[in-house]
Amino acid sequence: MYFGWADPQLNPRMGVEYYEQVLDKMGTSTADFFRLFMVPGMFHCGGGVGTSVFDVATPLVNWVESGTPPDRSRQVAWSRARLCGQGRYATIRWFARYRGSG
């Protein structure tokens, strides 16, 4: 599942909370069948100030057909039909959390 951090229609925290609820219900095996990718700057299903051009199909096909789960997904940022930059974003397990101090 992917979710945009800049989604104006659904609070991005909803995606994180949904993933956490699945994790609580299904346990540690959740990562065997479900991953969450938070996309910086992406609006609802695309567009935004960040990237919205990336391949979601190939990593899923590789997971199903060869058992290689996606840990990171390539992202490409476009602005007015020209490439601005590219990078990677990671699964939710690298999500920063506040632990009450610092």
Side-chain angles (χ1 to χ4, degrees), residues 49-67:
V49 296
T51 187
S52 65
V53 179
F54 52 94
D55 181 7
V56 295
T58 301
L60 185 59
V61 168
N62 290 339
W63 194 3
V64 171
E65 293 182 356
S66 67

Side-chain angles (χ1 to χ4, degrees), residues 1-2 31-33 35 37 53-75 88-89 91:
M1 180 171 94
Y2 66 93
D32 294 341
F33 63 88
R35 303 280 170 103
F37 293 89
V53 179
F54 52 94
D55 181 7
V56 295
T58 301
L60 185 59
V61 168
N62 290 339
W63 194 3
V64 171
E65 293 182 356
S66 67
T68 306
D71 279 334
R72 298 172 190 264
S73 184
R74 249 180 116 69
Q75 64 181 2
R88 294 187 180 271
Y89 55 91
T91 58

Side-chain angles (χ1 to χ4, degrees), residues 10 12 23 34 37 45-47 50-52 55 57 59-60 64-65 75 80 83 92-95 100-101:
L10 298 173
L23 187 61
F34 181 46
F37 293 89
C45 297
T51 187
S52 65
D55 181 7
L60 185 59
V64 171
E65 293 182 356
Q75 64 181 2
R80 297 187 181 173
L83 183 63
I92 196 66
R93 69 177 159 219
W94 290 290
F95 181 68
S101 65

